[in-house]
Amino acid sequence: MTQQLTAPGIRARKGGSPIVMVTAYDSPGARIADDAGVDIILVGDSVAMVVLGYDDTLQVTIADMAHHVGAVGRAGPRAMVVADLPWLSYHASPAETVQNAGILVRAGAQAVKLEGGSPARLVMVGALVDAGIPVMGHIGLTPQSVHVQGGYRVQGRELDQAEALAAEAEALASAGCFSIVLEGIPAELARLVTGGVDVPTIGIGAGPHCDGQVLVFHDLLGLEDRVVPKFVRRYASMKADAVAAVSLFAQDVRAGRFPSEAESYHVTGDTARGLDRGSSRTA
Ligand code: KIV
């Protein structure tokens, strides 16, 4: 059996070959990501928007996340499985944070990710690491803070904000994070942050200088076609392909072309003769 990637293995990739992370929320998605050879599968709270139909990530609960982590974990990927701690699951107390993270680990995650680098967040990172749960940090544009950040806006364009983000990254690394997601920040700042911490940075909308890159599964495959952020590169048009395929099915059904003989089951022998007698009686 191939060895599953681990937090120390990812941590050791600092400055080495780029780390590839992609989100997945169910077993087929995890198998696609794993067959493609990604390093990390992130069960992101983006599940709220791309799968569950909500407008933001604030709607998902620890139970929702555990449900999706379980589906990903049951695919048995070689990639490391990281699960997002949802909004309010790591804010009240270290004990509650550890308990919630434990639910995701028991569901199939090897690590959790949380947003922010304030002193309050660092306490939670410390408690999780102390409990033996690897933590991935996430700073910059943090979708769980959409109301504080005034929308989904690039962060760190002003010097004071950029310096604060660089300091947060260093503090998260010191607190024990094995890697840090940098989302929606200028490439120049991402380069500075990446050079200033001894753990890998994984960028999304943060330019090319990070130690790895992450995209949302539905964005990179073109399954989500309503909003396409500037940083997304689409590698397929699966929404369009799926609509075309289902339209063909509908046309075949309506024209009586589906199912064919080969796609139907048949009876033979006595059963066939009995059914024939029955149909001649009802005719
Ligand atoms: O939830 C998510 O998909 C994420 C990525 C955008 C990093 O946090």
Side-chain angles (χ1 to χ4, degrees), residues 216-279:
V216 167
F217 186 88
H218 290 59
D219 289 339
L220 87 88
L221 292 177
L223 273 165
E224 173 60 76
D225 65 351
R226 292 168 298 179
V227 188
V228 187
K230 172 188 167 82
F231 59 80
V232 167
R233 186 179 296 176
R234 269 202 201 153
Y235 291 88
S237 305
M238 283 183 60
K239 163 80 188 301
D241 289 349
V243 170
V246 176
S247 301
L248 287 175
F249 170 62
Q251 284 168 30
D252 282 351
V253 170
R254 289 179 182 132
R257 288 191 298 263
F258 180 87
S260 67
E261 276 297 291
E263 288 155 340
S264 305
Y265 296 104
H266 295 283
V267 292
T268 53
D270 288 349
T271 310
R273 282 188 286 281
L275 289 178
D276 275 349
R277 276 198 298 278
S279 65

Side-chain angles (χ1 to χ4, degrees), residues 23 25 42 44-46 84 113 138 181 183 204 214 216:
T23 66
Y25 315 98
L42 172 66
D45 58 358
S46 49
D84 259 339
K113 174 164 81 58
H138 181 163
V181 168
E183 177 167 358
I204 177 162
V214 53
V216 167

Side-chain angles (χ1 to χ4, degrees), residues 104-265:
L104 300 185
V105 170
R106 288 198 171 128
Q110 281 82 58
V112 296
K113 174 164 81 58
L114 56 75
E115 295 184 5
S118 66
R121 293 292 88 77
L122 299 177
V123 171
M124 306 306 175
V125 172
L128 290 165
V129 171
D130 199 44
I133 302 175
V135 186
M136 180 179 277
H138 181 163
I139 57 170
L141 190 170
T142 45
Q144 292 176 14
S145 307
V146 58
H147 298 310
V148 172
Q149 295 186 343
Y152 300 106
R153 297 170 188 281
V154 172
Q155 302 292 303
R157 282 198 157 125
E158 312 298 331
L159 184 60
D160 55 342
Q161 214 189 27
E163 286 173 345
L165 283 171
E168 282 187 3
E170 284 172 34
L172 284 168
S174 301
C177 285
F178 72 95
S179 61
I180 304 171
V181 168
L182 305 180
E183 177 167 358
I185 64 171
E188 298 79 4
L189 174 57
R191 174 165 32 197
L192 180 90
V193 170
T194 299
V197 294
D198 60 0
V199 298
T201 59
I202 302 179
I204 177 162
H209 309 297
C210 301
D211 296 298
Q213 297 290 332
V214 53
L215 279 179
V216 167
F217 186 88
H218 290 59
D219 289 339
L220 87 88
L221 292 177
L223 273 165
E224 173 60 76
D225 65 351
R226 292 168 298 179
V227 188
V228 187
K230 172 188 167 82
F231 59 80
V232 167
R233 186 179 296 176
R234 269 202 201 153
Y235 291 88
S237 305
M238 283 183 60
K239 163 80 188 301
D241 289 349
V243 170
V246 176
S247 301
L248 287 175
F249 170 62
Q251 284 168 30
D252 282 351
V253 170
R254 289 179 182 132
R257 288 191 298 263
F258 180 87
S260 67
E261 276 297 291
E263 288 155 340
S264 305
Y265 296 104

